[in-house]
Amino acid sequence: MFQMNIYKSCQMRIQSLLTAGRLAGLLVLLHLALSNYSYAQTRGQEKNYVTIDPGDKETDIIRKAATVVPSPRQFRWQQLELTAFLHFGINTFTNREWGDGKEDISRFNPSRLDAGQWVRVLKAAGFKQVIVTAKHHDGFCLWPSKYTEHSIKNTPYMHGKGDVVKAVADACKAQGVGFGVYLSPWDRNSLFYGDSAKYNTHFMHQLTELLSNYGKVDEVWFDGANGEGPNGKKQVYNFDAWYALIRRLQPGAVIAIMGPDVRWVGTESGYGRETEWSVIPADRNMLAKIAAGSQQDIAFAPVGDKTAEDLGSREKIRNASALVWYPAETDVSIRPGWFYHPEEDRKVKTPDKLMDIYFNSVGRNGVLLLNVPPDTNGLISQSDVRSLQEWKVKFDRTFSVDYAKGAVKKIISPFIIELDLKRTATFNVLCLQENIRSGQRVEQFTAEYWDGHDWKKLATGTTIGYKRLLKFDAVTTGKIRLNIGSSRLTPELTAIGAYRLAE
Ligand code: FUL
């Protein structure tokens, strides 16, 4: 059952038990993870980080990189594929993107707020987890925090008795959707901000409220904005203390962006990297601290520019002192802005654009975090609902028929697999997945099809990771071949699927 869940997203699973290669040491064939999942779990170092020893040669480093695996919470998160952001707050009512913390919060009064509708719309569109902006940079709290007056408790909404964080948390629980909170470290309202120790304590109080009073929290999202405090004082965030608190109160939650579990992909366009490694260089000193037990289980310390073109190739990891599993989250808004603005009703991303974003985020080894901001009524507006619905129809039509399902697989060599579809089919999408519970390994591949006389190129690529989607001009064929040109260790694929993009 569990295995079914893991691999459900690509309908075709390589079912044959071609696991002769289980015998370690043998240079084996493509491991087919459905059959050797438990094996993969018990072998290797099973950590989401590894240190590089001074004597390690490049081959040792590559092998180490190939066996770094996601933590259970990272793995759960990766499988969600689609997560959503709900930017909602005082900015919704002032029609701004960034409030300055001086807003008149009596303007916050959604007339028909229905968090059930938010979650329903998103769930129907395929989203598995939602993150609400409990507090944005303006400091306005969507829950009745005891630690500030700048909160929903002092607005006309429900005569101060409203709690939007609770409404979202309850709707998520009722509908079986994951729940997360965005708590902006930058707070332009708090008088403590800039007085580092005081503000850090204040922030811990707010985090404690959010992590204690709303049931299970699956993701905590921090951005890196760090503006000046009053009088030009610089606020230094005590991230370590915040992480420890989150691990204590909500051990299952991934901590994203300014956090140890999930990395910002580096743009807000919705388009991830062509080559996306989930294993990247880390700071050895930081890892040493983890090992010492001061921050059990917090492996955070990636180094370098997160927007760079290449984060984890051989070139990048060659001189690393440590490596960490730190996967990419691709955040983008369905509209130009993060908050709702009526003038953007006609600028909502089209279903085709959303599909393209899916291919270039989830299909590039990332998780999509799509922002869908509720309007001043407190509802997701019709323009957004329509676009999401139409996208979902296309999505289902595209991925409901896997032309490679039931194909006969032939292992030609350790790095070549051939699929005989047993009929001819016309398709223009390939879906490849690696068994990331063993590590991310594939560095280069070419997919081909048999045109009746010869093998012809379909697509080439570098990384696969959790999922790689490839689009090409439609072909009609009875056979597909996958050539792994380069892999850090024996590749383990969990899926090869062939689909036709819906018109
Ligand atoms: C950024 C913020 O400054 C934006 O307003 C938005 O919330 C985005 C998701 O994160 O850091």
Side-chain angles (χ1 to χ4, degrees), residues 104-118:
D104 173 7
I105 61 171
S106 69
R107 293 175 72 175
F108 183 90
N109 197 10
S111 47
R112 294 189 284 140
L113 188 137
D114 180 2
Q117 185 248 9
W118 305 356

Side-chain angles (χ1 to χ4, degrees), residues 89-216:
I90 194 64
N91 292 339
T92 313
F93 297 86
T94 55
N95 202 16
R96 295 179 75 177
E97 274 292 300
W98 278 13
D100 58 13
K102 300 187 178 71
E103 289 70 25
D104 173 7
I105 61 171
S106 69
R107 293 175 72 175
F108 183 90
N109 197 10
S111 47
R112 294 189 284 140
L113 188 137
D114 180 2
Q117 185 248 9
W118 305 356
V119 176
R120 237 181 351 267
V121 165
L122 293 167
K123 184 179 177 181
F127 290 86
K128 304 286 190 301
Q129 186 153 300
V130 306
I131 302 172
V132 64
T133 52
K135 178 183 87 168
H136 202 250
H137 307 328
D138 52 72
F140 177 69
C141 297
L142 283 180
W143 80 103
S145 174
K146 277 199 296 208
Y147 298 96
T148 178
E149 295 309 309
H150 205 59
S151 119
I152 195 165
K153 69 185 178 189
N154 292 323
T155 68
Y157 175 63
M158 292 179 74
H159 307 292
K161 298 277 177 277
D163 184 343
V164 176
V165 172
K166 182 170 185 339
V168 176
D170 289 352
C172 286
K173 259 114 235 165
Q175 299 188 43
V177 168
F179 168 69
V181 289
Y182 168 21
L183 188 66
S184 166
W186 188 26
D187 187 324
R188 305 180 80 186
N189 176 265
S190 173
L191 291 176
F192 302 136
Y193 192 87
D195 183 336
S196 292
K198 269 201 186 137
Y199 180 73
N200 282 319
T201 305
H202 171 71
F203 194 82
M204 297 269 278
H205 287 320
Q206 295 203 318
L207 252 185
T208 304
E209 288 182 320
L210 290 173
L211 303 180
S212 309
N213 302 333
Y214 300 98
K216 190 161 182 287

Side-chain angles (χ1 to χ4, degrees), residues 85 87 97-98 133 136-137 182 221 223-225 268 331 338-339:
F85 237 157
H87 273 68
E97 274 292 300
W98 278 13
T133 52
H136 202 250
H137 307 328
Y182 168 21
W221 208 95
D223 70 327
E268 290 180 344
D331 64 331
W338 291 99
F339 284 88

Side-chain angles (χ1 to χ4, degrees), residues 430-434 445 464-468 470 482 495-496:
L430 265 193
C431 170
L432 305 176
Q433 293 192 274
E434 273 185 85
F445 65 87
I464 295 177
Y466 170 73
K467 183 174 276 193
R468 185 67 199 258
L470 302 145
L482 185 67
I496 304 177

